[in-house]
Amino acid sequence: MALTFYWYPKCGTCRKAKRWLDEHGVDVRTVHLVDEPLTKEELARLHRQSGLPLRKFFNTSGMKYRELGLKDQLDRASEEEMLDWLASDGMLVKRPILTDGERVVVGFREQEYEAFFAQRPPAAT
């Protein structure tokens, strides 16, 4: 399955991740998280596939996160509420997100990308 890379091009971490992908010859379909925000259903699927707590999908260093005071609300929020917040504004979503349709990496750490591709089955010929 094709790789999808959800990002915000002005984000330095996203640019680092994209550069890593380019340097390693990895072809991805890019999706601009602000211009094409993820739906609640897409976020729920990515969350399930990632195996991460849903709170890991929040861009906790973002202005929007602070403006909404989400730090104090996440502990008592339901999964539904969290998905609603994330789907309401692409700037609330931690980025980048890389997926092959089954596995998901949130954020960018070189070691995680290396592990992701080490475990990836070879493309069919």
Side-chain angles (χ1 to χ4, degrees):
M1 178 166 211
L3 291 168
T4 304
F5 183 70
Y6 298 94
W7 73 324
Y8 179 60
K10 293 180 181 178
C11 165
T13 303
C14 292
R15 289 194 308 268
K16 280 185 204 172
K18 182 70 168 81
R19 186 172 31 250
W20 189 95
L21 293 167
D22 292 344
E23 288 171 357
H24 288 82
V26 178
D27 187 33
V28 294
R29 178 178 76 91
T30 59
V31 177
H32 191 298
L33 275 172
V34 176
D35 292 348
E36 300 175 61
L38 290 160
T39 66
K40 187 175 177 178
E41 293 75 23
E42 290 168 324
L43 286 158
R45 180 179 45 79
L46 290 168
H47 168 241
R48 279 191 312 276
Q49 292 170 333
S50 74
L52 296 170
L54 189 53
R55 61 185 312 121
K56 294 286 186 184
F57 278 78
F58 281 87
N59 175 16
T60 58
S61 61
M63 230 168 41
K64 192 73 164 180
Y65 180 86
R66 289 191 302 271
E67 282 175 12
L68 295 174
L70 293 180
K71 178 183 178 186
D72 300 324
Q73 297 180 59
L74 283 183
D75 287 336
R76 58 184 180 275
S78 69
E79 188 171 294
E80 282 295 308
E81 288 174 302
M82 288 192 257
L83 288 169
D84 284 337
W85 286 325
L86 289 167
S88 73
D89 190 326
M91 293 301 283
L92 286 173
V93 178
K94 175 134 176 115
R95 53 195 182 254
I97 298 174
L98 177 67
T99 183
D100 63 3
E102 294 178 20
R103 296 173 301 136
V104 176
V105 179
V106 178
F108 174 67
R109 286 199 292 287
E110 201 168 318
Q111 303 88 332
E112 286 184 8
Y113 271 45
E114 287 170 358
F116 180 89
F117 287 101
Q119 297 171 12
R120 189 160 187 250
T125 54

